[in-house]
């Protein structure tokens, strides 16, 4: 049998043979939870955004204890957060800072991320009293009640872009929830799409709305006659009023561990409220005069910082179970921040980390300069 040599094969067949190498393997699949430009981590990337009353701004990484100085915000008035971004109100606008730490909750599991800290830019808005976000929009509500909706994806890419039609109704504070935006009013809660167009309404009224909280059970709005819990099931929104005890002072601002269903609020001048959404009930705790309150969570304690600088922990029945003098009275009113294991209270130019499961022991102290006027925690 005769065999043809390679040199005897037509040139075209030789070229075809040379080009018929196996195709490259397909690229590896994108891992679940992958976020471009961020590192997924096994633990929460908690950071504190701190501003002193002179406008100096710093970000403290609670894992590494590193401090990053940012551009000052002249005329600083307030700082709020949506869990990742901090919104710092200056004299004429709001500075947006990406803290670079955040958590994505998928219900049955969570993802924690770490990225670079960066200043995104300024927003033309009066001092925000709250900031809430979902995957699509961020709602910033100002002191005049006007709410500005921002494109969340653009923020994550370092740009400021309005979402849909410019602003929500004046006189309301809006909260993104279940792919909509909820805006309370005297006559009920307007359910808006993400462009700001009304698509439904919850008929339960909310006279004199003030104070909001986002929980796993729904969104809570503070009203003159109680707390209004708005939830959704199968795309239908419903409201349930949780009344105050007769003659009791109302709550105007709620505090919570992020995502918790147990809320805290001041109650007049000498007490605090615990609102347990699982029980649909307010409980009054006679704390005496306080400068700040917060709640650890279901089955946990209420923390209250007295005007004398003493931090106290209370059971739900009002029994005091721990106390510690942690701040000197007379400075800017401190807030109490709570996460899953620690609380944070500022005193002068120092932030104290409190182990609320160990008799309110001061675990760490961070001297950051000051006097500190505003602190928020991100990463949760």
């Amino acid at each position: 049998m005769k065999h043809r040599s390679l040199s005897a094969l037509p040139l075209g067949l030789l070229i075809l043979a040379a080009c018929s190498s196996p195709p490259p393997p397909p690229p590896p699949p994108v891992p679940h939870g992958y976020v471009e430009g961020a590192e997924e981590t096994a633990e929460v990337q908690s950071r504190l955004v701190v501003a002193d009353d002179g406008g100096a701004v710093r970000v403290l990484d609670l894992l590494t204890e590193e401090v990053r100085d940012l551009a000052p915000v002249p005329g600083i008035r307030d700082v709020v957060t949506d869990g990742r971004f901090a919104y710092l109100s200056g004299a004429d606008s709001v500075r947006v800072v990406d803290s670079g730490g955040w958590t994505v909750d998928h219900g049955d599991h969570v993802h924690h991320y770490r990225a670079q800290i960066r200043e995104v830019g300024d927003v033309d808005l009066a001092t925000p009293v709250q900031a809430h976000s979902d995957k699509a929009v961020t709602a910033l509500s100002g002191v005049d009640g006007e709410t500005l909706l921002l494109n969340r994806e653009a923020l994550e890419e370092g740009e400021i872009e309005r979402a849909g039609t410019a602003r929500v109704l004046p006189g309301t504070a809006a909260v993104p929830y279940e792919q909509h935006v909820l805006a309370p009013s005297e006559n009920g809660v307007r359910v808006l799409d993400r462009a700001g167009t009304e698509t439904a309404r919850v008929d339960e009224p909310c006279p004199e709305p003030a104070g909001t909280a986002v929980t796993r059970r729904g969104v809570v709005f503070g009203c003159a006659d109680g707390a209004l819990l708005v939830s959704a099931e199968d795309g239908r929104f419903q409201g349930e009023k949780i009344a105050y005890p007769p003659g009791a002072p109302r709550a105007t601002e709620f505090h919570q561990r992020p995502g918790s269903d147990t809320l805290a609020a001041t109650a007049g001048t000498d007490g605090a409220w615990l609102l347990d959404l699982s029980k649909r009930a307010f409980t009054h705790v006679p704390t005496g005069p306080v400068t700040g309150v917060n709640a650890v969570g279901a089955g946990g304690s209420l923390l209250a910082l007295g005007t004398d600088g003493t931090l106290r922990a209370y059971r739900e029945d009002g029994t005091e179970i721990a106390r510690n003098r942690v701040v000197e009275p007379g400075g800017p009113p401190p807030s109490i921040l709570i996460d899953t294991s620690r609380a944070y209270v500022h005193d002068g130019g120092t932030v104290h980390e409190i182990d609320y499961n160990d008799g309110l022991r001061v675990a760490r102290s961070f001297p950051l300069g000051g006097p500190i006027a505003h602190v928020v925690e991100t990463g949760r």
Side-chain angles (χ1 to χ4, degrees):
M1 179 182 295
K2 294 183 177 180
H3 298 278
R4 300 177 65 186
S5 66
L6 289 177
S7 60
L9 291 175
L11 179 61
L13 290 178
L14 288 173
I15 295 175
L16 181 61
C19 296
S20 298
S21 57
V30 176
H32 171 62
Y34 172 78
V35 175
E36 185 176 359
E39 173 191 356
E40 186 170 3
T41 66
E43 56 187 336
V44 177
Q45 300 300 302
S46 296
R47 292 170 175 174
L48 298 182
V49 181
V50 180
D52 67 30
D53 60 3
V57 180
R58 300 172 178 87
V59 181
L60 166 65
D61 189 316
L62 290 170
L63 294 181
T64 66
E65 300 189 8
E66 295 176 348
V67 178
R68 165 84 178 273
D69 291 322
L70 302 181
V73 177
I76 188 80
R77 300 177 182 180
D78 198 8
V79 182
V80 297
T81 183
D82 59 9
R84 172 176 175 175
F85 294 87
Y87 305 91
L88 302 96
S89 302
D92 303 310
S93 61
V94 176
R95 176 80 47 79
V96 182
V97 172
D98 185 349
S99 74
W102 71 96
T103 296
V104 177
D105 188 346
H106 291 287
D108 59 344
H109 68 284
V110 297
H111 294 272
H112 307 299
Y113 296 98
R114 181 183 187 88
Q116 293 295 317
I117 301 167
R118 60 180 173 180
E119 297 175 73
V120 180
D122 294 334
V123 177
D124 181 17
L125 183 70
T127 305
V129 293
Q130 66 178 32
H132 295 290
S133 296
D134 63 11
K135 294 179 181 179
V137 298
T138 292
L140 290 180
S141 299
V143 290
D144 57 359
E146 188 175 60
T147 295
L148 177 64
L149 299 180
L150 300 177
N151 184 318
R152 177 70 176 192
E153 184 176 352
L155 277 183
E156 293 172 353
E157 294 176 353
E159 299 177 358
I160 294 176
E161 176 184 292
R162 291 185 180 180
T165 56
R167 286 172 160 85
V168 183
L169 272 183
T172 66
V175 178
Y177 178 66
E178 290 294 321
Q179 302 180 29
H180 290 76
V181 178
L182 306 179
S185 70
E186 301 280 342
N187 301 318
V189 178
R190 302 172 67 233
V191 180
L192 315 172
D193 63 21
R194 286 167 166 169
T197 302
E198 183 173 334
T199 62
R201 181 180 289 266
V202 175
D203 292 332
E204 184 70 42
C206 184
E208 303 174 24
T212 60
V214 179
T215 76
R216 290 182 179 272
R217 296 178 184 270
V219 178
V220 175
F221 295 102
C223 313
D225 56 353
L228 176 59
L229 173 63
V230 178
S231 58
E233 185 174 355
D234 298 328
R236 297 175 60 87
F237 292 84
Q238 56 192 12
E240 180 180 357
K241 186 65 65 66
I242 304 170
Y244 301 114
R250 67 163 298 177
T252 57
E253 186 175 0
F254 294 107
H255 306 275
Q256 67 187 135
R257 176 172 54 78
S260 172
D261 294 338
T262 303
L263 312 179
T266 56
T269 59
D270 61 356
W273 289 118
L274 265 178
L275 172 56
D276 187 336
L277 295 180
S278 66
K279 299 177 181 178
R280 302 293 200 271
F282 280 98
T283 299
H284 183 266
V285 179
T287 59
V290 296
T291 62
V293 296
N294 211 328
V296 169
S301 56
L302 169 81
L303 301 187
L305 185 63
T307 54
D308 62 352
T310 300
L311 183 66
R312 294 175 173 85
Y314 298 86
R315 292 196 184 98
E316 186 174 310
D317 63 3
T319 304
E320 182 181 321
I321 56 176
R323 67 168 63 188
N324 189 6
R325 174 76 173 270
V326 295
V327 305
E328 293 295 327
S335 56
I336 304 174
L337 308 177
I338 289 182
D339 59 31
T340 53
S341 62
R342 295 289 191 267
Y344 297 91
V345 179
H346 60 88
D347 176 25
T350 301
V351 175
H352 300 294
E353 181 182 76
I354 310 296
D355 186 346
Y356 55 74
N357 291 313
D358 187 16
L360 302 180
R361 173 179 61 88
V362 177
R364 294 186 293 178
S365 293
F366 304 100
L368 298 175
I372 295 171
H374 309 283
V375 182
V376 294
E377 183 180 4
T378 64
R380 301 286 169 176

